[in-house]
Amino acid sequence: MKRFMLCLLVFLLALTPSMAEDNMESLRVVGVSGDEFIWRFQADNGQIIYFTSREAEPFIQYQDINFDGIDDLVFLPATGAGNTYYTFFVNLNGKYERVFLMGHENDAACNFQLYPDQQLLSVSVSHGAAGALCEKVLFRWGGNNLLPVRRMVSE
């Protein structure tokens, strides 16, 4: 078993550089604004998308977040000790459109969770005191915007 795991690790390490090279062709820094990098990303459809991130190597994932069966784009612009922030671009008619969280203080979805059966998305922000100070918001999709359905605040 140990030998198998070692062989698997060596194989994965050998793949890592080529995968990183493919990603770097579609992703690059084009500027800096304060403490954030300005990134240029070429999506799978050829569309150029710009986003900001505090991360030196931002996480990008294709995932269906609006429950239409088509993969959308999820970017990770910032992560901290208890909160991870995400920026969304939904695929509408073959073009990626920026998602706005209506009534939310910023357009980054913190610690998001999907509820496909209910067609809902939740965000939760920890403001301290081991999570006792927090805010949770439940959103429903309205086009490429997220509309708040319920909000809970613990202060």
Side-chain angles (χ1 to χ4, degrees), residues 46-108:
Q47 181 179 348
I48 303 298
I49 297 172
Y50 293 91
F51 67 99
T52 59
S53 175
R54 292 184 179 165
E55 304 299 317
E57 294 182 23
F59 172 80
I60 301 169
Q61 177 179 325
Y62 287 93
Q63 180 180 4
D64 180 16
I65 57 169
N66 62 348
F67 317 113
D68 63 357
I70 301 170
D71 280 344
D72 306 299
L73 277 169
V74 177
F75 295 93
L76 189 151
T79 187
N83 296 315
T84 302
Y85 296 88
Y86 298 90
T87 303
F88 302 136
F89 286 81
V90 291
N91 189 330
L92 297 175
N93 301 319
K95 183 180 177 194
Y96 291 102
E97 305 258 341
R98 178 80 158 82
V99 174
F100 296 98
L101 283 75
M102 308 310 281
H104 201 57
E105 70 182 52
N106 66 34
D107 289 323

Side-chain angles (χ1 to χ4, degrees), residues 130-151:
L133 305 176
C134 63
E135 179 180 3
K136 296 182 182 194
V137 185
L138 196 58
F139 290 95
R140 180 173 306 282
W141 286 97
N144 65 322
N145 296 319
L146 285 165
L147 308 171
V149 175
R150 295 230 167 118
R151 177 180 311 269

